[in-house]
Amino acid sequence: MGKSPTHVLVVDDEEDLELLVRQKFRRRIREGDLKFLFAHNGKEALEVLDENPEVYLVLSDINMPVMDGLTMLGQLADSEQDVQAVIVSAYGDMKNIRTAMNRGAFDFLTKPIDFNDLEVTIEKGIKHVQALQIALDTRDRLVAVKQELEMAREVQMSLQPKELPANDNYDVKAAIISAKEVGGDLYDFFFIDESRLGLVIADVSGKGVPAALFTTVTRALLRAAVSRDYSTPSDCLMLVNNLLCESNTSCIFITLFFGVLDLRTGELSYSNAGHNPPRVLTTDSKVEVVPKTNNLVLGIQPGHAYHNKQVQLMPGDTLFLYTDGITEAEDSKSEEFTESRLDEKLAGLANTSSERVATEIVDAVQEFVGDAPQSDDITCMAARFLAPLTVSS
Amino acid sequence: MEERAKLSVEAEQSDKATILVVIGRVDGSSVGILESAVQEQINAGHKTLIFDFKDLSYISSAGLRALLIAARLTQKEGGKALFCALAEHIAEIFEISGFNEILDIRSTRADAFGAL
């Protein structure tokens, strides 16, 4: 690809600057490295700039008829053109030089013009303009990436499950606060059949776009596994794990808890792929850890056998699921929120709605963190079993 | 922004293995230090690595991923990776995530050498 010449506009009402430039830079003009344009006063210069947006560097005299150099500088500063100006003034004319610099001139030369100084100043100006151009291009690209991330965030948000209607049997509410535009945490809830509610919480290793892609795939695979032929949570996890392993060469993994609440009985059947154990908050303010199933995270070992366990929820009990963004949230002294703070806070929320549990826990974490930067996604979900569902057969 | 050196990795060479003493916190922002330390040993032809975790204060999922990659890399080279001296709360992270099932974890450095 041929490099296009750098365009420089020279503005002077006398011929000497033009002659000097044409002569001294003739080799570089011939080689197509530099291209000079000429104007004879400020007004003409502005017109040339208008017609030639490729000009980024202007070399201008101050005293000229029609419009002087300083007035031109002022108008350039008000316009949107990204032009750098080098001003030429009489030796010792500090007052005009100061005015020019204050109006945004990039550098100045004094008369009589020393050719070496002219060349160095033009070189410096060109380098400066090129660096600015790179910075502007980079900024434009960043803006574009940021817009795409915003769109990705909207897509990710739209994939989250819709609120379930209020009813007498259960009450589910989740809260998620991503540390970046798109997150690596996932929650989901859905009906498997008319009486069984699936509840999912998960956390991908890493953050940002790679993690978000992985959560999106996992959500889709798990939903597909459930709708295909549901038997137990562990069967679904085994299928999802094998599918994730097939195409995962980067060793990204996901911790995931999948529970199925039978609304007829309050029994929660679950399998836990390496995720922080959820809690059961009982009506008498006890906070019980849901026993581990001792299973590996998803996505790294094909054929891994996942197991099921069951816990019994009594009417009014709340299952609380969370990611380590809650327990490992740090305050400004690098102190962690910890499981004990979580359990203590939960104990005070017995017999309240899922919305209140989710909101108060997230609020407590945010209050604890204070002004410290959020380093991880914060996600939790509360699912309360209200009363057994009677199903007419 | 003030940034403490929250992670350092010290390598000690012995006849049978390279010991990597991991000191501090391994999380998303520091995991690169651990990854390059491992890569450096692999590049130098050291394919048997013993990770000494006695001074490891915390490891996030990004850190666990780096360990998994280390285990796979050493295995590919015909060597192995062992992990020893886990504090109780670190052992719990390995247990919850199930990594204790797929990584070779030994209680002391001597036990790790004994397993070579």
Side-chain angles (χ1 to χ4, degrees):
Chain A
M1 198 177 77
K3 189 168 155 281
S4 57
T6 303
H7 289 63
V8 181
L9 173 62
V10 176
V11 194
D12 195 0
D13 57 327
E14 287 160 27
E15 294 282 296
D16 38 343
L17 194 53
E18 178 166 348
L19 287 174
L20 181 69
V21 162
R22 280 200 194 279
Q23 204 215 337
K24 296 292 186 184
F25 289 101
R26 62 181 182 280
R27 200 171 58 84
R28 295 186 63 180
I29 294 169
R30 208 170 46 232
E31 285 169 357
D33 186 20
L34 287 175
K35 183 174 177 186
F36 287 94
L37 292 86
F38 299 93
H40 302 98
N41 61 59
K43 189 164 171 287
E44 218 181 293
L46 291 174
E47 286 163 9
V48 172
L49 285 173
D50 224 26
E51 286 159 19
N52 299 275
E54 65 276 23
V55 176
Y56 290 109
L57 188 64
V58 177
L59 185 68
S60 176
D61 193 12
I62 291 183
N63 295 317
M64 294 178 292
V66 189
M67 183 193 284
D68 65 53
L70 296 177
T71 310
M72 179 195 74
L73 266 183
Q75 298 210 1
L76 263 184
D78 292 340
S79 78
E80 288 190 351
Q81 263 170 307
D82 294 315
V83 180
Q84 296 299 314
V86 174
I87 216 79
V88 182
S89 86
Y91 181 77
D93 184 9
M94 214 26 101
K95 187 164 167 281
N96 274 334
I97 291 171
R98 280 305 315 156
T99 309
M101 299 304 269
N102 286 339
R103 291 188 184 174
F106 162 73
D107 203 348
F108 65 91
L109 288 167
T110 51
K111 285 177 181 172
I113 289 176
D114 172 80
F115 172 67
N116 285 332
D117 194 22
L118 174 66
E119 191 173 31
V120 167
T121 307
I122 286 184
E123 273 311 320
K124 197 174 79 169
I126 289 169
K127 281 213 180 82
H128 181 73
V129 163
Q130 283 168 344
L132 271 181
Q133 200 51 47
I134 289 168
L136 285 175
D137 289 350
T138 308
R139 189 196 60 186
D140 288 350
R141 276 202 299 273
L142 273 178
V143 168
V145 167
K146 208 163 156 40
Q147 280 169 348
E148 280 184 28
L149 272 176
E150 280 302 322
M151 280 160 67
R153 178 191 181 83
E154 277 168 33
V155 172
Q156 195 175 37
M157 289 296 161
S158 73
L159 284 170
Q160 267 155 13
K162 305 291 169 279
E163 304 249 328
L164 293 168
N167 66 92
D168 298 335
N169 306 106
Y170 61 88
D171 167 22
V172 179
K173 185 74 190 181
I176 188 163
I177 299 170
S178 295
K180 296 192 173 184
E181 280 87 348
V182 291
D185 278 5
L186 156 73
Y187 69 83
D188 204 2
F189 45 79
F190 44 80
F191 271 92
I192 292 166
D193 54 33
E194 60 180 0
S195 57
R196 288 183 297 181
L197 179 62
L199 301 160
V200 183
I201 196 147
D203 184 359
V204 173
S205 59
K207 289 189 281 285
V209 173
L213 286 171
F214 212 81
T215 56
T216 306
V217 169
T218 304
R219 181 200 302 274
L221 285 177
L222 183 59
R223 284 225 177 187
V226 168
S227 66
R228 202 172 74 150
D229 182 19
Y230 176 76
S231 56
T232 63
S234 63
D235 277 353
C236 292
L237 292 198
M238 280 193 266
L239 178 60
V240 171
N241 179 53
N242 289 338
L243 291 168
L244 285 175
C245 287
E246 263 179 34
S247 49
N248 182 15
T249 51
S250 53
C251 289
I252 289 183
F253 60 81
I254 185 163
T255 70
L256 186 145
F257 178 95
F258 177 32
V260 175
L261 179 62
D262 191 325
L263 295 167
R264 294 166 298 193
T265 61
E267 186 187 75
L268 178 82
S269 179
Y270 64 93
S271 187
N272 188 349
H275 195 81
N276 305 51
R279 302 291 195 266
V280 173
L281 170 60
T282 66
T283 49
D284 54 351
S285 299
K286 285 206 193 76
V287 179
E288 290 161 356
V289 175
V290 173
K292 291 174 215 161
T293 55
N294 288 326
N295 281 132
L296 183 63
V297 300
L298 299 175
I300 57 178
Q301 198 173 59
H304 183 83
Y306 289 87
H307 307 296
N308 289 306
K309 279 190 178 166
Q310 284 81 31
V311 291
Q312 182 65 48
L313 298 191
M314 302 309 287
D317 287 354
T318 300
L319 176 72
F320 181 80
L321 310 112
Y322 68 98
T323 62
D324 58 11
I326 293 213
T327 46
E328 290 166 13
E330 287 185 0
D331 66 8
S332 53
K333 289 172 294 207
S334 293
E335 178 119 7
E336 291 185 3
F337 189 71
T338 68
E339 291 186 31
S340 55
R341 277 198 186 85
L342 170 64
D343 290 349
E344 195 185 318
K345 184 74 197 169
L346 274 176
L349 292 166
N351 303 304
T352 58
S353 70
S354 290
E355 169 150 29
R356 183 147 170 231
V357 172
T359 314
E360 294 229 0
I361 293 297
V362 169
D363 286 353
V365 172
Q366 292 197 308
E367 192 184 328
F368 174 81
V369 167
D371 293 335
Q374 186 188 347
S375 59
D376 198 1
D377 302 335
I378 291 171
T379 306
C380 69
M381 180 161 73
R384 193 168 182 218
F385 175 55
L386 296 173
L389 177 77
T390 37
V391 180
S392 49
S393 49
Chain B
M1 205 172 74
E2 180 223 13
E3 188 60 48
R4 286 166 298 152
K6 57 180 172 184
L7 176 67
S8 65
V9 181
E10 290 168 9
E12 300 170 19
Q13 301 297 342
S14 85
D15 294 346
K16 290 159 80 182
T18 301
I19 301 118
L20 291 174
V21 186
V22 183
I23 304 156
R25 280 177 69 89
V26 186
D27 59 23
S29 66
S30 67
V31 71
I33 297 169
L34 177 62
E35 285 170 340
S36 355
V38 169
Q39 197 58 56
E40 202 179 305
Q41 296 305 324
I42 303 273
N43 292 348
H46 303 141
K47 54 193 184 191
T48 303
L49 305 179
I50 297 176
F51 290 81
D52 188 327
F53 285 160
K54 68 179 193 311
D55 294 315
L56 175 66
S57 57
Y58 171 76
I59 186 159
S60 75
S61 59
L64 292 176
R65 175 171 172 260
L67 300 185
L68 182 68
I69 292 171
R72 296 209 167 152
L73 280 176
T74 49
Q75 209 169 23
K76 213 173 89 186
E77 299 291 320
K80 65 200 292 193
L82 296 103
F83 306 86
C84 69
L86 282 65
E88 202 180 319
H89 68 284
I90 300 291
E92 202 188 317
I93 295 173
F94 278 70
E95 214 176 284
I96 288 175
S97 59
F99 269 64
N100 58 337
E101 291 182 33
I102 53 163
L103 298 180
D104 195 342
I105 295 167
R106 306 282 163 164
S107 49
T108 63
R109 202 191 271 203
D111 290 342
F113 271 104
L116 292 178

